[in-house]
Amino acid sequence: RRELIVAIDGPSGVGKSTLSRRLAERLDYLNIDTGAMYRSVALAALRNGIRVDDAVGLESLCGSLEIDFRRCEGDLRVFLNGEDVSEPIRTPEVSLLTARVAAVAAVRQALVEQQRRLGAGGGVVLEGRDIGSVVFPDAEVKIFLQATTEERGRRRYLELRAKGHAVDLEQTIRDVAERDRADMNRSIAPLIRAEDAVLIDTTGLDVDAVFRRMFDLVMERR
Ligand code: C5P
């Protein structure tokens, strides 16, 4: 039985986190949420008053951060220098800042290096925007998830509301569209489907149906 590298990419709100977590659990693989890593850098920048246009400040900030993941009762928790930041990295404010921080070359370099180190041995499910295209172009399994902007905005809205955030549906859809624009148009590692990634359009599909397709794809290659 081979220990594979599974790369899952796609835009925000497409269900990557939920599906990656389930897949990793089922395979007993390590789950690396690279979006949470970029979010953690954004949160730290916000807390330390480092501006997005301060590339030097962001670079040294990255050097001082230790980000790791722990599985906790079926949940993937993110730790930043030992502090559980799973909740504070998900606020709308941090989300918007993250897309800008993620466009900074020094930040990407630092995080990609860390992601390669974490995934090098295989037995990992990595999710993000550039896993199949940049981080692990030789990953054995590459999946690109897609869904319409409205559907993704609606899912994100329900998710935020369930967590008690006061959010507006139209505003959430606009935020998702804005993040797509930033992620697709940045010059380094833009959100793009690797040529050899399998495309799954999740619009109108339920989580179980998408999960089965993803699981079958992994099994075919194992
Ligand atoms: O996946 P999530 O929505 O948590 O990602 C937050 C942001 O982090 C994205 O909007 C994107 O700007 C950035 N990101 C990235 N590259 C990745 C993962 C996330 O640029 N591999």
Side-chain angles (χ1 to χ4, degrees):
R1 204 170 89 171
R2 295 192 301 145
E3 296 284 281
L4 309 181
I5 293 177
V6 181
I8 299 174
D9 291 298
S12 43
V14 80
K16 289 192 303 291
S17 298
T18 306
L19 288 156
S20 301
R21 192 175 61 227
R22 269 182 69 174
L23 198 58
E25 243 168 61
R26 180 73 176 270
L27 296 163
D28 199 21
Y29 275 16
L30 181 65
N31 182 191
I32 298 165
D33 175 355
T34 64
M37 297 172 78
Y38 289 98
R39 286 171 179 276
S40 298
V41 173
L43 177 68
L46 201 62
R47 286 176 172 179
N48 292 290
I50 299 168
R51 294 161 42 116
V52 234
D53 54 13
D54 178 7
V56 175
L58 286 173
E59 183 170 8
S60 82
L61 177 69
C62 285
S64 73
L65 301 179
E66 201 185 302
I67 303 165
D68 62 281
F69 297 97
R70 298 177 209 166
R71 215 181 274 168
C72 245
E73 290 161 18
D75 224 26
L76 186 73
R77 311 293 300 181
V78 193
F79 288 79
L80 176 61
N81 292 339
E83 175 197 349
D84 185 346
V85 292
S86 313
E87 313 297 336
I89 59 168
R90 305 273 162 210
T91 64
E93 185 191 16
V94 173
S95 297
L96 285 174
L97 184 65
T98 302
R100 298 178 61 207
V101 163
V104 177
V107 172
R108 300 207 72 83
Q109 214 172 344
L111 293 190
V112 167
E113 197 183 297
Q114 209 174 326
Q115 289 153 18
R116 288 189 177 138
R117 217 171 28 238
L118 288 166
V124 281
V125 176
L126 291 114
E127 53 156 304
R129 304 288 188 290
D130 61 340
I131 310 303
S133 58
V134 173
V135 184
F136 283 109
D138 296 326
E140 287 89 356
V141 183
K142 294 187 190 180
I143 297 169
F144 193 91
L145 298 172
Q146 188 54 282
T148 61
T149 313
E150 289 68 27
E151 171 105 6
R152 291 181 290 118
R154 202 177 52 81
R155 289 178 191 165
R156 183 58 40 108
Y157 165 77
L158 294 173
E159 186 183 299
L160 287 168
R161 229 187 32 175
K163 283 184 186 152
H165 293 289
V167 280
D168 174 75
L169 176 60
E170 295 308 315
Q171 184 58 48
T172 309
I173 293 174
R174 277 196 298 273
D175 286 354
V176 165
E178 171 55 34
R179 230 147 36 93
D180 283 356
R181 244 191 315 279
D183 290 346
M184 291 189 295
N185 295 324
R186 68 175 175 230
S187 52
I188 345 159
L191 170 65
I192 190 175
R193 175 165 81 94
E195 264 177 42
D196 52 351
V198 176
L199 178 71
I200 302 178
D201 189 332
T202 73
T203 311
L205 289 181
D206 69 9
V207 183
D208 291 335
V210 181
F211 177 76
R212 268 196 306 277
R213 293 206 29 205
M214 294 171 71
F215 186 70
D216 290 347
L217 281 169
V218 174
M219 286 331 225
E220 277 168 23
R221 286 169 174 75
R222 199 147 85 145

